[in-house]
Amino acid sequence: MTTKLSIQQRFEALDLWHKVGFQFVKAENGYAEIHLPFKKEIENTSGTLHGGIIMMALDNVMGMATMSVGFDNVLTIQMETRFIRQGDEGVQKITGQVIEKTRSTVIVEGRIHNPAGELVALCTATFKGIIEK
């Protein structure tokens, strides 16, 4: 079974995690939270948070939430993202919450909030959970 610490270690071992600037906060009991300080390297041509980075952040945090309910590994099956407003200066708060879990499938909701607490993006996704033997 996956533990909170092993989830953190697995993500923090990725070069991409550090290049983008993600910061682990927690992953337990179907809930995960990470932070992302805004920086020029992850902006789009409008000078705001790039949509691909938003989707990557949501995928990461929802995967962490899925792992926190007992899966050793997860695969994203489906992901739908709605962009509400632009992400900009400051630290973005990204959360994932398990909505429903079956033996091998998990429905998760992800959200990104800007420093003012306004919703930047909302996502729902389906993950396949894997328990390694």
Side-chain angles (χ1 to χ4, degrees):
M1 181 176 274
T2 304
T3 65
K4 175 182 162 185
L5 184 57
S6 68
I7 293 170
Q8 180 177 0
Q9 289 173 330
R10 289 180 72 181
F11 280 83
E12 288 180 348
L14 301 170
D15 287 340
L16 185 57
W17 177 270
H18 296 285
K19 287 180 182 173
V20 173
F22 293 120
Q23 300 169 345
F24 180 88
V25 177
K26 69 162 78 174
E28 57 191 20
N29 303 319
Y31 176 84
E33 182 178 328
I34 61 177
H35 291 170
L36 179 60
F38 183 86
K39 58 185 180 178
K40 286 195 74 55
E41 294 84 2
I42 58 174
E43 70 182 16
N44 59 22
T45 56
S46 299
T48 59
L49 188 60
H50 191 284
I53 298 295
I54 288 172
M55 292 187 71
M56 180 193 311
L58 290 165
D59 191 39
N60 280 337
V61 80
M62 291 186 299
M64 289 176 164
T66 300
M67 291 171 117
S68 78
V69 294
F71 293 106
D72 298 309
N73 205 356
V74 297
L75 301 171
T76 309
I77 296 173
Q78 174 275 335
M79 189 170 155
E80 180 181 344
T81 305
R82 287 165 296 290
F83 299 93
I84 312 301
R85 65 179 41 84
Q86 297 175 325
D88 50 23
E89 296 296 321
V91 177
Q92 315 299 303
K93 176 182 174 184
I94 304 115
T95 60
Q97 177 70 54
V98 170
I99 305 300
E100 186 69 34
K101 176 185 178 280
T102 68
R103 194 167 52 85
S104 63
T105 306
V106 180
I107 308 296
V108 188
E109 180 182 86
R111 294 172 179 255
I112 294 184
H113 289 90
N114 65 20
E118 300 169 317
L119 187 63
V120 172
L122 173 67
C123 182
T124 54
T126 306
F127 284 81
K128 177 178 177 59
I130 298 167
I131 297 175
E132 298 170 356
K133 297 180 186 206

